[in-house]
């Protein structure tokens, strides 16, 4: 599944089936190579809330079911990987991130697709406010 | 195969941690007193309204000097500028210094310092506003030549003194300069600034 496909998908609490909002983005935990958190926008004030990946029950084709809506600690910084600049550890730019392929059941990242390359998750070093840093060759 | 770059082009290059955060940008490059290598960077904050930072970045803490960013491991790499204060900031002394040979030939004045990127931080040569006798070719191009630093450069006052045979290694062709800077071996280099 792609990050861009999940964006805009409605998020529903499994108990009560109340809609919490829609997915705005997924965050990447570069250390483990998995999806870290899900950002959700919704409610009456259209506020953005963060859910841990573990709080998800399932990521279906139509809705995202969540088990608990407790905010994780600590709240991760908001860096959207889509559109992020790609820097090698040597300090050279290598395009921007187009999309991320991941496994919807486990949250494991399979590939990060950029304008120039495709990177496996073990090449990712960090995602910050400036760039996604990757280990090149 | 590290890229050659002009020290003046390093100004405003972001300083980025391996975690991807930009913590500062380069304000000035600091060289050692013999102009042989980079010893660090003076920094300023990112953005229009941010002024100079108290922190500097010693070369030992640089992970890699790249084409688009200066990479560091983490924020702890930044050190107090007092560590760097004894050395020569680029704007202060090296720029505008006269380049001479031991026999007294005036090659010109330093416009810019060419350094090697990556992890070495070595000064490979100088871009020089040439004195009249080295100025060849069409007029609008002729004032700018490259001189490899070589191994035996001495600093006397405000002048950089090269061995007498340095006059044969003066070139206005960046590609030829890259080969010369490499000892003539012709190892593949990145594009010049």
């Amino acid at each position: 599944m792609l990050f861009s496909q999940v964006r805009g998908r409605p998020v529903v609490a499994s108990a009560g089936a109340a809609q919490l909002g829609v997915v705005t983005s997924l965050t990447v935990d570069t250390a483990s190579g998995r999806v870290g958190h899900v950002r959700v926008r919704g409610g009456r004030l259209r506020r953005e809330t963060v859910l841990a990946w573990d709080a998800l029950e399932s990521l279906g084709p139509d809705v995202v079911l969540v088990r608990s809506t407790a905010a994780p600690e600590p709240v991760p910084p908001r860096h959207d990987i889509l559109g992020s600049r790609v820097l090698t550890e040597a300090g050279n730019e290598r395009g921007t991130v187009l999309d991320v392929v991941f496994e919807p059941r486990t949250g494991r990242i399979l590939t990060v697709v950029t304008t120039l390359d495709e990177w496996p998750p073990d090449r990712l070093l960090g995602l910050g406010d400036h760039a996604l840093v990757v280990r090149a060759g | 195969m590290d890229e050659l770059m002009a020290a003046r082009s390093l100004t405003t290059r972001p300083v980025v941690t391996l975690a991807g955060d930009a913590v500062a940008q380069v304000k000035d490059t600091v060289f050692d007193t013999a102009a042989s290598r980079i010893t660090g960077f003076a920094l300023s904050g990112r953005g229009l309204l941010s002024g100079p930072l108290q922190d500097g970045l010693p070369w030992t803490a640089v992970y890699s000097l790249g084409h688009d960013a200066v990479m560091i491991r983490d924020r702890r790499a930044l050190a107090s500028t007092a560590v760097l204060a004894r050395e020569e900031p680029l704007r202060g002394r090296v720029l505008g210094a006269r380049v001479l040979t031991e026999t007294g030939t005036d090659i010109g004045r330093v416009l810019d310092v060419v350094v090697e990127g990556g992890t070495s931080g070595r000064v490979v040569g100088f871009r020089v506003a040439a004195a009249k006798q080295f100025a060849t070719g069409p007029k609008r191009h002729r004032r700018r030549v490259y001189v490899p630093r070589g191994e035996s450069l001495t600093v006397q006052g405000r002048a950089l003194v090269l061995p007498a045979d340095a006059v044969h290694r003066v070139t206005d062709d960046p590609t030829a300069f890259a080969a010369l800077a490499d000892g003539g071996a012709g190892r593949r280099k990145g594009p010049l600034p």
Side-chain angles (χ1 to χ4, degrees), chain B residues 131-153:
Chain B
K132 263 233 167 62
Q133 60 165 309
F134 292 99
T136 53
K139 202 167 188 173
R140 67 177 187 280
H141 296 304
R142 72 181 196 180
R143 295 287 292 166
R144 214 167 281 169
V145 296
Y146 294 91
V147 190
R149 182 189 182 275
E151 293 305 312
S152 47
L153 175 145

Side-chain angles (χ1 to χ4, degrees), chain A residues 79 87-93 125-131 133, chain B residues 14 16-22 46 63-64 66-69 71:
Chain A
H79 301 137
L87 266 183
T88 65
E89 58 176 345
N92 302 321
E93 277 182 20
L125 290 176
L127 173 65
D129 58 8
H130 186 72
V133 181
Chain B
V16 181
T17 65
L18 288 184
D21 292 312
R46 304 257 307 148
Y63 184 83
S64 174
H67 183 265
D68 303 293
M71 304 302 290

Side-chain angles (χ1 to χ4, degrees), chain B residues 57-116:
Chain B
L57 176 63
W59 179 261
T60 48
V62 173
Y63 184 83
S64 174
L65 171 58
H67 183 265
D68 303 293
V70 181
M71 304 302 290
I72 58 174
R73 263 179 207 289
D74 49 41
R75 262 167 218 276
R76 281 171 298 177
L78 306 187
S80 162
T81 29
V83 185
L84 300 168
R86 283 172 284 114
E87 316 282 354
E88 308 192 26
L90 173 63
R91 225 170 295 284
R93 309 264 314 262
V94 185
L95 291 194
R98 194 171 278 280
V99 183
L100 305 170
T101 66
E102 281 164 356
T103 49
T105 313
D106 182 8
I107 298 177
R109 287 184 180 277
V110 175
L111 286 174
D112 208 340
V113 183
V114 182
V115 297
E116 190 175 53

Side-chain angles (χ1 to χ4, degrees), chain A residues 29-45:
Chain A
D29 182 12
T30 48
S32 64
R34 314 176 80 85
V35 177
H37 299 90
V38 183
R39 291 189 167 271
V40 179
R41 187 178 292 282
R44 212 182 305 151
L45 296 171

Side-chain angles (χ1 to χ4, degrees), chain A residues 43-61:
Chain A
R44 212 182 305 151
L45 296 171
R46 310 278 303 153
R47 278 232 326 247
E48 197 171 66
T49 51
V50 186
L51 301 171
W53 175 262
D54 298 330
L56 263 60
E57 193 160 299
S58 72
L59 201 92

